Amino acid sequence: MVKYKIAPSILSADYANFASELRRIEETDVEYVHIDIMDGQFVPNITFGAGVVASMRQHSKLFFDCHLMIVNPERYVEEFAQAGADMMTIHVESTPHIHGALQKIKAAGMKAGVVINPGTPVEMVESVLELVDQVLVMTVNPGFGGQAFIPEMMSKVEKVAALREAKGLAFDIEVDGGIDHETIKLAKKAGANVFVAGSYLFKDDFKARVAALREALND
Ligand code: DX5
Ligand code: ZN
């Protein structure tokens, strides 16, 4: 039985009102909050760091799915663990020591995820699949919300799902970028079960939009 999870991306929220934004998320039935950490170097945009995550933790008991788009994320494992992150998902392109970095995340007591950019082949993460709780296949180039879903990424999701099957593993497959009530169906069909959505959800009718994603998953 596949467990489908919806992960609203706080990147599209009102940054001056994280507490009320978290409340709005908690009033729905979503499983995760997706928290995008950007350093202005790995990606052109800058968001915030572990300090802000620690403050968010004071206002929410939700599962914090932290997506790090920073150079050498292994430098901040302890900080994010202490801030209350539940999972740290790091880019294979962001460190020459992906295996060690994932080990470090697990040793700090968090779940570990690995991410690939649209231009990165699945083979790049094949040798760390045994270590991870989640593989994130980016469906846009990271850095900004509101970009168009890249449908060609679906064959990569299929490939990750096939490798998981062949190796007898059980990690989740997440997609991030351009997810709405239509594209979520393509991602589900390809084998994804965790769906990040930012600009689609953070509108006045947040609750109804979560319900629309849920409904699309039931189709
Ligand atoms: C982009 C981020 C995403 C972003 C998705 O680099 O990783 O999590 O918030 O935004 P949408 O859903 O608007 O494409
Ligand atoms: Zn993200």
Side-chain angles (χ1 to χ4, degrees):
M1 189 51 191
V2 183
K3 170 89 179 130
Y4 294 107
K5 300 171 192 171
I6 295 176
S9 168
I10 206 117
L11 184 70
S12 286
D14 175 356
Y15 285 24
N17 289 299
F18 277 140
S20 61
E21 292 288 45
L22 286 163
R23 222 171 300 129
R24 165 150 98 132
I25 297 170
E26 266 173 25
E27 281 165 5
T28 68
D29 60 354
V30 299
E31 290 79 5
Y32 289 177
V33 184
H34 184 82
I35 302 178
D36 289 298
I37 311 295
M38 306 185 184
D39 67 353
Q41 201 175 349
F42 182 70
V43 288
N45 200 3
I46 300 176
T47 56
F48 44 78
V52 173
V53 175
S55 297
M56 286 182 191
R57 187 40 96 202
Q58 302 308 310
H59 297 273
S60 175
K61 290 196 166 33
L62 277 164
F63 186 98
F64 282 3
D65 169 30
C66 297
H67 174 196
L68 280 94
M69 287 156 276
I70 68 172
V71 170
N72 297 121
E74 61 272 24
R75 293 174 297 158
Y76 293 100
V77 170
E78 281 310 322
E79 281 87 339
F80 277 89
Q82 274 163 27
D86 294 290
M87 173 149 59
M88 240 177 117
T89 297
I90 59 173
H91 276 261
V92 69
E93 308 89 357
S94 68
T95 171
H97 302 292
I98 190 69
H99 190 279
L102 291 166
Q103 282 181 320
K104 203 169 166 181
I105 293 169
K106 303 288 284 184
M110 292 178 286
K111 290 192 185 297
V114 69
V115 201
I116 50 173
N117 276 331
T120 303
V122 169
E123 287 73 15
M124 287 291 287
V125 294
E126 208 176 324
S127 55
V128 296
L129 292 179
E130 282 80 1
L131 273 178
V132 301
D133 300 286
Q134 168 170 285
V135 174
L136 166 52
V137 177
M138 289 305 298
T139 41
V140 297
N141 283 293
F144 301 95
Q147 302 181 79
F149 179 82
I150 307 171
E152 291 77 17
M153 296 303 114
M154 294 304 94
S155 60
K156 283 165 60 177
V157 172
E158 285 167 8
K159 216 171 193 176
V160 173
L163 279 170
R164 178 177 61 188
E165 172 85 28
K167 290 174 182 272
L169 297 169
F171 53 80
D172 284 335
I173 303 177
E174 184 175 57
V175 283
D176 181 8
I179 296 296
D180 61 22
H181 60 286
E182 294 297 338
T183 56
I184 198 170
K185 293 183 194 170
L186 303 175
K188 177 192 168 189
K189 190 160 169 265
N193 70 301
V194 185
F195 308 92
V196 177
S199 55
Y200 175 77
L201 287 180
F202 283 85
K203 301 274 163 51
D204 288 343
D205 55 347
F206 184 90
K207 232 180 195 162
R209 283 170 181 255
V210 170
L213 289 184
R214 222 31 113 191
E215 200 174 312
L217 288 172
N218 287 333
D219 267 3

